[in-house]
Amino acid sequence: MPGEAERQEQPVRIAAITVQTGRLVCDVEIADERFRFTTPGLAAFAAQSYPDLPRHACVNGKGHTFGDVIEHTSTPHLLEHLAISLQTRAAVGAEEPFVGTTEWIDEARGQARVQISFRDDLEALRAFNEATQFLNIAVLTCLA
């Protein structure tokens, strides 16, 4: 079990990843409440490196794109879209879109489940790892 110092360095932690047929299921833990939701500053920081994020299709209660909720959504939801963005960059010319879902498993404990589709499981794992690294830098920069 990671100590408090490690949790501070990595506020967004991947607890488990399961590869299923055509999708990756990722259990995410965010122990510190400060890091569980996005802010306009975090959204701007993410969109600077991933300018496609606001244009992602997204089923939500405010509109039809991720841009409609990016400033006030769960951090795991941002992780979902970051991982999809990275896969999209790597799959230039692919016809099928990548899709994902995010849900709180236990919001009070900061436990969520993110699922994304993939064409290549190793590419999807790489995307999740890179997205998590970026997100940890982003939340410590913008929310700490």
Side-chain angles (χ1 to χ4, degrees), residues 42 45-46 78 82 133-144:
L42 178 57
F45 187 93
L78 177 55
L82 289 169
Q133 289 173 2
F134 173 84
L135 191 53
N136 276 316
I137 292 167
V139 298
L140 288 172
T141 301
C142 300
L143 303 179

Side-chain angles (χ1 to χ4, degrees), residues 12-121:
V12 179
R13 193 176 79 77
I14 304 302
I17 295 180
T18 305
V19 179
Q20 297 182 354
T21 303
R23 70 181 168 150
L24 224 55
V25 179
C26 182
D27 290 338
V28 180
E29 293 180 352
I30 305 173
D32 192 322
E33 291 179 18
R34 296 176 299 159
F35 303 134
R36 292 183 188 161
F37 290 92
T38 64
T39 64
L42 178 57
F45 187 93
Q48 193 170 27
S49 294
Y50 297 86
D52 60 311
L53 288 178
R55 296 186 309 273
H56 282 195
C58 181
V59 177
N60 63 69
K62 294 187 177 183
H64 300 289
T65 67
F66 188 54
D68 294 320
V69 296
I70 191 171
E71 293 181 349
H72 303 286
T73 192
S74 72
T75 304
H77 189 203
L78 177 55
L79 177 63
E80 169 198 333
H81 283 272
L82 289 169
I84 287 172
S85 180
L86 286 161
Q87 284 193 101
T88 301
R89 289 178 183 181
V92 175
E95 294 180 24
E96 289 275 325
F98 294 100
V99 296
T101 61
T102 299
E103 64 180 324
W104 285 112
I105 302 303
D106 187 338
E107 186 175 346
R109 291 181 152 179
Q111 298 171 337
R113 179 161 294 138
V114 177
Q115 300 184 49
I116 60 169
S117 64
F118 64 80
R119 289 182 189 83
D120 179 304
D121 59 344

